[in-house]
Amino acid sequence: MKDLRSVFQSFVHQADHITVLTGAGMSTESGIPDFRSAGGIWAEDMSRMEAMSRSYFEQYPKRFWPKFKGLFQMKASGNHEPNKGHLYLAELEKQGKSIEIFTQNIDGLHKKAGSRYVYELHGSIQTGTCPKCQTKYDLSHLLKEDVPRCTRINEKGTECGFIVKTDVVLFGDMVHHLDTLFQTIEKTDLLLVIGTSLEVAPVNLVPQEAHYIQGLNKALVNLEPTAYDDLFDLVIHEKIGELVSDMKRKEGT
Ligand code: APR
């Protein structure tokens, strides 16, 4: 493992422009379960996925919200803190590296760690939007009622009243920032993929797209093997927190 870490360190050291793609494994060390590891949100009960879909929300919005709030620990979503992995990426930016982070996570922890260029591919748990009048709502409104409704007063002087939709990308919704992601990896020195099983399209197209880009170093840090390991120049099957701690020990920082 030692020389793999040295290669990782040299990849990062050489790179001026880094594109990072993260998944739920980035936040497990902050106390947020991932989806497909043992004990993960889907691993525990695959039927949960069906309820986290656009069609389920549209058919059963009143059933959707209690399930959604429970599954994603919504009440506690402001209490999680960035871990060593989030802070490491924010630190690289402070050292002057150009870093753009594309995350599948909805927990907001990259921004909370201080990273400035974060694209939330699967949206954010912090906000919601009225499907009828597009009024935006923050976390406090979404938590006020079991089933959050739009309180905008319409032209008739009455409340809109529609059930608000989460801004999290549900199964069946369009993923955000994909064009930007594929354009960004074209002009980057290093693609860092951290804490994702790469099970979900279209994000799992990234390793295949990146494979054909000349001069792009590609590193994967993921606790378990993925179906795309062989498309990377470097694969480290380790917790991101352990990798960062070891590198800091080596650098004496
Ligand atoms: N360090 C590194 N890797 C880790 C860590 C850690 N501390 N903890 C877990 N992992 C790895 C697991 O081994 C697993 O392969 O992170 C990966 C997380 O994979 P998933 O649970 O499938 O999560 P993710 O890849 O983000 O899922 C993508 O699927 O259901 C949708 O919208 C949901 O955004 C999610 C998407």
Side-chain angles (χ1 to χ4, degrees), residues 25-81:
M26 190 80 216
S27 298
T28 51
E29 293 171 74
S30 295
I32 301 175
D34 66 14
F35 294 96
R36 296 175 180 83
S37 297
I41 295 175
W42 306 146
E44 274 195 337
D45 174 357
M46 290 299 274
S47 70
R48 291 171 170 170
M49 292 176 89
E50 189 222 330
M52 291 302 109
S53 65
R54 181 188 195 90
S55 54
Y56 187 92
F57 170 79
E58 287 174 346
Q59 276 185 290
Y60 313 107
K62 290 181 187 164
R63 286 191 229 162
F64 169 86
W65 271 106
K67 289 176 189 273
F68 177 78
K69 288 182 177 179
L71 277 182
F72 291 103
Q73 307 171 34
M74 198 160 176
K75 284 192 174 61
S77 70
N79 309 338
H80 295 110
E81 292 303 322

Side-chain angles (χ1 to χ4, degrees), residues 144-160:
K144 218 178 285 174
E145 307 290 340
D146 288 347
V147 179
R149 288 180 179 276
C150 180
T151 52
R152 191 179 74 87
I153 304 299
N154 58 30
E155 49 288 347
K156 290 179 226 135
T158 55
E159 267 194 2
C160 167

Side-chain angles (χ1 to χ4, degrees), residues 215-234:
L216 170 66
N217 285 328
K218 301 169 289 293
L220 170 65
V221 178
N222 200 63
L223 199 48
E224 293 153 0
T226 74
Y228 301 95
D229 282 16
D230 59 347
L231 294 177
F232 288 86
D233 306 301
L234 173 69

Side-chain angles (χ1 to χ4, degrees), residues 123-137:
S124 167
I125 198 168
Q126 315 279 331
T127 57
T129 307
C130 173
K132 181 162 172 38
C133 64
Q134 305 312 309
T135 305
K136 291 295 260 186
Y137 289 94

Side-chain angles (χ1 to χ4, degrees), residues 22-29 33-37 40-42 49 72 83 103-106 122 168-169 171 194-200 203 221-226 236-242:
T22 66
M26 190 80 216
S27 298
T28 51
E29 293 171 74
D34 66 14
F35 294 96
R36 296 175 180 83
S37 297
I41 295 175
W42 306 146
M49 292 176 89
F72 291 103
N83 60 54
T103 185
Q104 299 173 90
N105 301 339
I106 59 175
H122 291 174
V168 168
V169 172
F171 289 109
I194 306 173
T196 176
S197 62
L198 293 169
E199 289 272 322
V200 172
V203 167
V221 178
N222 200 63
L223 199 48
E224 293 153 0
T226 74
I236 299 179
H237 291 148
E238 185 177 22
K239 284 189 171 185
I240 183 64
E242 283 166 14

Side-chain angles (χ1 to χ4, degrees), residues 129-191:
T129 307
C130 173
K132 181 162 172 38
C133 64
Q134 305 312 309
T135 305
K136 291 295 260 186
Y137 289 94
D138 66 11
L139 192 62
S140 60
H141 182 87
L142 299 179
L143 291 175
K144 218 178 285 174
E145 307 290 340
D146 288 347
V147 179
R149 288 180 179 276
C150 180
T151 52
R152 191 179 74 87
I153 304 299
N154 58 30
E155 49 288 347
K156 290 179 226 135
T158 55
E159 267 194 2
C160 167
F162 255 64
I163 293 177
V164 175
K165 182 175 182 293
T166 173
D167 283 344
V168 168
V169 172
L170 302 174
F171 289 109
D173 281 336
M174 287 288 285
V175 171
H176 303 319
H177 310 301
L178 267 180
D179 293 347
T180 309
L181 170 54
F182 288 117
Q183 287 157 15
T184 304
I185 56 175
E186 295 276 349
K187 56 181 193 333
T188 197
D189 315 313
L190 172 61
L191 170 66

